């Protein structure tokens, strides 16, 4: 029997099993199956006695500090033991935010975030990242990830813009290939739109957050997206259609509203459009405490909120009590990567905040200045100013006027740069790039060329916002699709010598490395993004 027939047989038998169980379930058991609780409140008894359908790890929620893969498996098996001990023995599904790698887990690979991956415009790359992430997630016993985010960020003031691949919905559509990496490639005769997970090293994916979360007024997180139906369907909806076509298993609903109506209660868009028009056959899950936030203030008249969410078409309620966020800092810093990349005869001097006198008193050949935003997530990142973390601007001014410098911007979105570009030799947008600093230095020192392009508009000043490619007032500092392409040193030498013998001499270069942000780490991937000045 071929693979596709086997999959179809498995699907049919699974459907029969679900129908059999559903016919025998009590109302309490059905309700329990629609609930997803955090691991911090899950016990064997709770799982068994309340028929809980799903457990998740909220941000940073882990079984132990620096937990091993076996620690994760043991914890999840314990929760599963409770679920299987219930009257009908229905297994639970465990979910986690593995949004750019298995980022809650110690020593896992953390890949560049979506804003940086979008600049590669390389669907095959994100598919391979999805596949690598799936292997690491399954290694910890988890079959479900709340990824990918397929928002279309239309305003960089939004605190979650780093989760968006692009301001261009077509680019976001291309990058939904990450789903094929996470879940696997459906067989040739697969019926598109049916959820598909293709093996023991794959995971169920979740397209989020449905729909329009990247278009809120002034980029305020969880707020109101004001646009007509055509605007919603033409900008924010296409990536969901692509995700469903590629077999995505679940869809998460957005905290935001559309023209004043909370998405968590929007029957027209959840039941009508998502399940009706787009024929989505997977399950729809709320965002964390999204049902609580239906009311103002949150959690008032909770019974009515639950009823409204379920009647709108939400199948599972995620409700945990978000907020401890952990970040495991194993990896290679930019400084460590520079030191490992240069010749032993090269002197590398590090200063966190060098003053002008220090720079002038040393004979530096070059300076690498790392600046950017402070760490944040979600609403905490909402910003009207979009300025660099101090003393970044002062360091650029004092350093780049005294020595040739390359400025590395580590951020989740474009930030104010126009006042400083005149003094900068080169500007590199590194975005939020993961755990391996060699990805930056590979391009710095010519092992690989720069190749990325901007898939978001880099504004001149915040008074221009919102501003996207094609707008009548479009006048950016760096436009959509900007970016210099460079060759590797190897290819340049090969072309220039054309086989002739050359001789090289060692030289002494002193490099100043200045950083105002020391906690960010960098990627191994070679898709980096150099911008003109």
């Amino acid at each position: 029997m071929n693979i596709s027939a086997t999959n179809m047989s498995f699907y049919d038998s699974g459907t029969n099993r679900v129908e059999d169980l559903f016919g025998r379930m009590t109302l309490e058991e059905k309700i329990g199956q629609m609930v997803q609780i955090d691991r911090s409140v899950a016990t064997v008894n709770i799982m068994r006695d309340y028929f809980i359908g799903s457990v998740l790890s909220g941000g940073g929620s882990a079984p132990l500090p620096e937990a091993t893969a076996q620690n994760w498996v043991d914890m999840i098996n314990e929760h599963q033991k409770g679920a299987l001990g219930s009257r009908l023995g229905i297994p639970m599904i465990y979910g986690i935010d593995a949004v750019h790698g298995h980022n809650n887990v110690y020593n896992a690979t953390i890949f560049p975030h979506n804003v940086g991956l979008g600049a590669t415009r390389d669907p095959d790359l994100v598919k391979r990242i999805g596949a690598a992430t799936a292997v690491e997630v399954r290694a910890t016993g988890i079959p479900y990830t709340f990824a990918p985010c397929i928002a279309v960020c239309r305003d960089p003031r939004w605190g979650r813009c780093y989760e968006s691949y692009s301001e261009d919905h077509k680019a976001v559509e291309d990058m939904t290939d990450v789903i094929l990496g996470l879940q696997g490639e459906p067989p040739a005769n697969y019926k598109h739109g049916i959820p598909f997970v293709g093996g023991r090293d794959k995971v169920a994916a979740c397209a989020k957050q449905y729909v329009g979360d990247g278009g809120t007024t002034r980029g305020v997180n969880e707020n109101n997206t004001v646009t007509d139906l055509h605007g919603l369907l033409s900008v924010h909806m296409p990536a969901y259609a692509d995700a469903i076509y590629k077999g995505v298993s679940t869809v998460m609903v957005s905290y935001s509203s559309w023209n004043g109506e909370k998405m968590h209660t929007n029957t027209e868009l959840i039941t009508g459009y998502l399940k009706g028009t787009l024929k989505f056959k997977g399950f729809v899950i709320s965002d964390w405490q999204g049902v609580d936030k239906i009311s103002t203030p949150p959690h008032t008249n909770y019974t009515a909120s639950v009823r409204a969410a379920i009647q709108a078409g939400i199948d599972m309620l995620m409700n945990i009590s978000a907020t401890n966020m952990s970040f495991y800092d194993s990896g290679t810093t930019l400084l460590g990567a520079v030191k490992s990349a240069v010749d032993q005869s090269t002197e590398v001097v590090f200063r966190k905040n060098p003053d002008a006198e220090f720079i002038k008193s040393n004979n530096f050949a070059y300076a690498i200045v790392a600046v950017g935003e402070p760490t944040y997530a979600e609403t905490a990142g909402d910003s009207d100013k979009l300025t660099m973390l101090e003393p970044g601007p002062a360091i650029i001014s004092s350093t780049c006027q005294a020595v040739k410098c390359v400025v590395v911007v580590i951020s989740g979105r474009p930030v104010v740069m126009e006042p400083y570009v005149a003094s900068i030799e080169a500007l590199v947008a590194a975005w939020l790039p993961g755990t391996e600093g060699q990805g930056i230095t590979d391009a710095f020192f010519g092992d690989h060329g720069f190749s990325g392009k901007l898939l978001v508009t880099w504004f001149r000043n915040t008074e221009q916002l919102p501003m996207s490619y094609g707008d009548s007032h479009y006048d950016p500092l760096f436009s959509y699709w900007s970016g210099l392409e460079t060759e590797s040193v190897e290819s340049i030498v090969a072309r220039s010598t054309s086989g002739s013998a050359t001789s090289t001499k060692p030289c002494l270069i002193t490099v100043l490395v200045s950083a105002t942000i020391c906690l960010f780490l960098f990627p191994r991937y070679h898709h980096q993004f150099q911008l003109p000045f």
Side-chain angles (χ1 to χ4, degrees):
M1 185 177 288
N2 62 35
I3 292 176
S4 59
T6 302
N7 284 342
M8 187 59 67
S9 175
F10 176 80
Y11 176 76
D12 290 341
S13 63
T15 301
N16 291 336
R17 172 65 171 153
V18 169
E19 291 176 351
D20 172 63
L21 287 170
F22 194 76
R24 294 190 284 136
M25 291 171 71
T26 66
L27 178 61
E28 289 79 8
E29 286 169 329
K30 292 175 182 176
I31 292 171
Q33 286 297 299
M34 296 176 71
V35 173
Q36 183 180 70
I37 62 174
D38 185 60
R39 57 153 294 277
S40 63
V41 297
T43 66
V44 170
N45 290 345
I46 287 175
M47 297 299 296
R48 181 193 65 218
D49 297 343
Y50 293 95
F51 324 110
I52 300 299
S54 185
V55 181
L56 83 159
S57 282
S61 179
L64 295 167
E66 300 186 6
T68 65
Q70 189 61 53
N71 294 143
W72 281 90
V73 170
D74 292 343
M75 176 197 69
I76 291 164
N77 284 345
E78 193 71 7
H79 298 323
Q80 195 66 276
K81 186 189 302 181
L84 296 175
S86 64
R87 183 178 74 92
L88 295 176
I90 301 172
M92 64 89 185
I93 183 171
Y94 199 99
I96 196 165
D97 272 303
V99 293
H100 56 130
H102 201 6
N103 43 282
N104 277 323
V105 176
Y106 182 67
N107 270 342
T109 302
I110 299 178
F111 295 99
H113 227 312
N114 289 358
V115 66
L117 295 177
T120 70
R121 197 70 183 261
D122 188 344
D124 183 65
L125 174 64
V126 295
K127 184 164 68 173
R128 287 185 285 125
I129 288 174
T133 300
V135 169
E136 291 201 341
V137 172
R138 287 304 292 263
T140 55
I142 299 173
Y144 178 27
T145 176
F146 308 122
C149 176
I150 53 175
V152 180
C153 178
R154 305 292 284 181
D155 193 324
R157 292 173 291 190
W158 184 39
R160 301 186 73 160
C161 208
Y162 60 91
E163 297 185 56
S164 172
Y165 292 109
S166 177
E167 68 188 39
D168 177 6
H169 71 85
K170 293 180 181 178
V172 178
E173 289 174 67
D174 290 342
M175 303 307 255
T176 59
D177 274 11
V178 67
I179 294 166
L180 302 178
L182 291 167
Q183 297 193 157
E185 296 267 6
N189 63 346
Y190 163 76
K191 185 177 179 181
H192 293 284
I194 301 294
F196 176 86
V197 180
R200 298 174 66 89
D201 62 346
K202 299 299 181 182
V203 295
C206 180
K208 66 180 188 182
Q209 281 84 11
Y210 184 86
V211 59
D213 52 338
T216 59
T217 302
R218 298 188 65 82
V220 176
N221 192 39
E222 303 181 15
N223 213 265
N224 192 28
T225 297
V226 180
T227 184
D228 60 16
L229 181 61
H230 173 74
L232 189 77
L233 298 185
S234 62
V235 174
H236 300 284
M237 192 67 77
Y240 286 95
D242 263 26
I244 292 166
Y245 184 82
K246 291 169 183 173
V248 73
S249 297
T250 71
V251 170
M252 184 183 293
V253 180
S254 174
Y255 290 127
S256 61
S257 301
W258 176 49
N259 294 336
E261 181 177 358
K262 293 274 190 179
M263 277 305 311
H264 275 73
T265 64
N266 196 312
T267 306
E268 177 187 356
L269 289 179
I270 298 174
T271 296
Y273 199 86
L274 181 62
K275 295 183 177 183
T277 303
L278 296 181
K279 309 296 183 187
F280 176 58
K281 302 300 183 185
F283 71 81
V284 178
I285 188 168
S286 76
D287 207 337
W288 165 61
Q289 292 188 341
V291 175
D292 300 53
K293 296 182 180 184
I294 288 173
S295 60
T296 304
H299 206 78
T300 55
N301 200 0
Y302 195 58
T303 300
S305 295
V306 171
R307 183 186 300 114
I310 292 172
Q311 289 178 342
I314 294 176
D315 303 301
M316 181 167 282
L317 309 182
M318 182 195 295
N319 187 17
I320 62 172
S321 56
T323 58
N324 177 34
M325 299 292 290
S326 295
F327 178 78
Y328 296 113
D329 59 353
S330 58
T332 306
T333 64
L334 175 57
L335 177 61
V338 169
K339 288 181 175 179
S340 66
V342 299
D343 188 87
Q344 291 183 351
S345 64
T346 301
E347 180 184 7
V348 178
V349 178
F350 171 73
R351 287 292 184 277
K352 185 175 181 180
N353 188 3
D355 56 32
E357 191 59 35
F358 172 80
I359 297 169
K360 292 177 181 178
S361 63
N362 290 272
N363 188 28
F364 294 117
Y366 302 100
I368 299 171
V369 181
V371 296
E373 295 186 285
T375 55
Y376 62 81
E378 303 189 8
T379 303
D382 286 359
S383 172
D384 279 333
K385 296 182 179 179
L386 295 176
T387 52
M388 287 179 279
L389 184 67
E390 295 291 348
I395 292 175
I396 292 175
S397 298
S398 60
T399 304
C400 297
Q401 290 177 7
V403 62
K404 287 185 176 181
C405 70
V406 55
V407 172
V408 185
V409 181
I410 303 167
S411 66
R413 57 203 164 183
V415 293
V416 174
M417 286 300 302
E418 187 174 43
Y420 319 107
V421 293
S423 62
I424 295 172
E425 192 75 13
L427 176 64
V428 175
W431 307 116
L432 301 179
T435 48
E436 299 303 323
Q438 291 93 333
I440 299 291
T441 55
D442 279 351
F444 273 177
F445 298 105
D447 295 311
H448 295 267
F450 287 91
S451 61
K453 301 289 187 181
L454 276 182
L455 263 70
V456 293
T457 296
W458 204 298
F459 57 87
R460 294 182 182 276
N461 56 71
T462 56
E463 285 72 26
Q464 295 176 300
L465 300 176
M467 178 177 65
S468 297
Y469 182 73
D471 288 346
S472 59
H473 66 290
Y474 197 70
D475 180 30
L477 180 62
F478 303 119
S479 65
Y480 183 90
W481 205 244
S482 291
L484 299 179
E485 294 188 32
T486 64
E487 296 182 75
S488 67
V489 169
E490 183 179 13
S491 64
I492 293 171
V493 170
R495 188 180 70 252
S496 61
T497 58
S498 300
S500 61
T502 60
S503 60
T504 59
K505 297 181 180 180
C507 61
L508 177 63
I509 300 176
T510 304
V511 179
L512 168 66
V513 180
S514 166
T516 61
I517 296 179
C518 302
L519 297 179
F520 283 97
L521 303 169
F522 299 79
R524 189 183 303 280
Y525 280 81
H526 307 317
H527 297 267
Q528 304 302 332
F529 326 113
Q530 185 176 28
L531 307 179
F533 61 89

